[in-house]
Amino acid sequence: MILTRLTNLRKSKRWSLQYTADRLGIAKSTYAGYESGHRRPSLEAIAQIADLFDTSTDYILGRVDHQAPQLDDDTSVPCMELTELSTLNLSVDGLSLSKEEMQQFIAFIRAKRQLEGKTT
Amino acid sequence: MILTRLTNLRKSKRWSLQYTADRLGIAKSTYAGYESGHRRPSLEAIAQIADLFDTSTDYILGRVDHQAPQLDDDTSVPCMELTELSTLNLSVDGLSLSKEEMQQFIAFIRAKRQLEGKTT
DNA sequence: TAAAATGTACGCGTATTGCGTAAAATGGTC
DNA sequence: GACCATTTTACGCAATACGCGTACATTTTA
């Protein structure tokens, strides 16, 4: 478990040990023990902590390096609406697509569908 | 912790309790205790188990539903190579793109880039 | 059927947790 | 600088439960 991450998660929300412990339903000294490394949370505790801080147990444990939790969809089969995506990084032949290319593509698809609708 | 997932992960590899425990460096009865629910692994243990089974601690704990681990990139900003994706579900105006449309788009981008390369 | 292996359950010694309590440190106000 | 409230850190103890060995049940292989 990476102690600094635990502390940073809490401090990024400007929460005190007391408040955090209250939210978790444990004693202040208990949660303080987690951050200091004197105590280690149980599996349930670390899951609750991950929930509270909107991150993953893997991040707290140091198994991944980004704070965002897994989203439980769109991982195996990505599913997204291109027109609603503000930032994304799609690439063709290793070269990422620019916003202009994305808009051109969207226009391309719309035009193509309109043609098909008329001819069919 | 979801016990069935632990058992399924092991059985999907056709490993025995003994072999799995050996790989983890713990006693057979200890690992068996995890699967039966009589014992709960430590944080280090569950991280090692996640490594061994190529999954995430969040999956074992039941915090996410897919087995694949996080990849440490492509989470906040989706990043994928269109030509390498066999199955994906991109949509425009709510209508998902067919494979033909994807291929047309890839061809479209390639042609456009070739033109730009010549004119520029 | 016998033998080997796999899976399940129990008891015990010990490590470690979680809590209360209290001391140290930080931060804001005059 | 002095004062006080809040926050953070550290200690000691009772109780939990972890990990292991061991033994028993079950399944598989020859």
Side-chain angles (χ1 to χ4, degrees), chain A residues 13-114:
Chain A
K13 298 205 173 229
R14 313 212 168 189
W15 290 354
S16 68
L17 292 171
Q18 182 72 68
Y19 177 77
T20 307
D22 289 344
R23 297 273 318 244
L24 293 169
I26 61 178
K28 170 185 57 177
S29 61
T30 299
Y31 180 77
Y34 299 161
E35 286 195 8
S36 68
H38 286 79
R39 295 287 182 274
R40 313 168 72 113
S42 67
L43 293 181
E44 294 151 351
I46 202 175
Q48 287 181 324
I49 291 171
D51 284 338
L52 188 62
F53 291 140
D54 293 314
T55 184
S56 66
T57 59
D58 290 283
Y59 176 73
I60 297 175
L61 293 175
R63 301 188 71 256
V64 300
D65 290 333
H66 59 272
Q67 183 177 329
Q70 298 191 60
L71 293 178
D72 233 351
D73 37 347
D74 82 353
T75 44
S76 56
V77 176
C79 174
M80 37 191 176
E81 169 62 42
L82 294 181
T83 59
E84 289 177 0
L85 289 173
S86 53
T87 60
L88 86 164
N89 198 343
L90 296 178
S91 60
V92 170
D93 300 329
L95 287 166
S96 62
L97 298 177
S98 65
K99 276 200 170 184
E100 292 76 26
E101 285 173 323
M102 279 308 308
Q103 289 173 345
Q104 286 175 2
F105 173 54
I106 291 169
F108 169 77
I109 290 296
R110 283 173 174 159
K112 175 179 156 299
R113 285 176 175 167
Q114 202 166 16

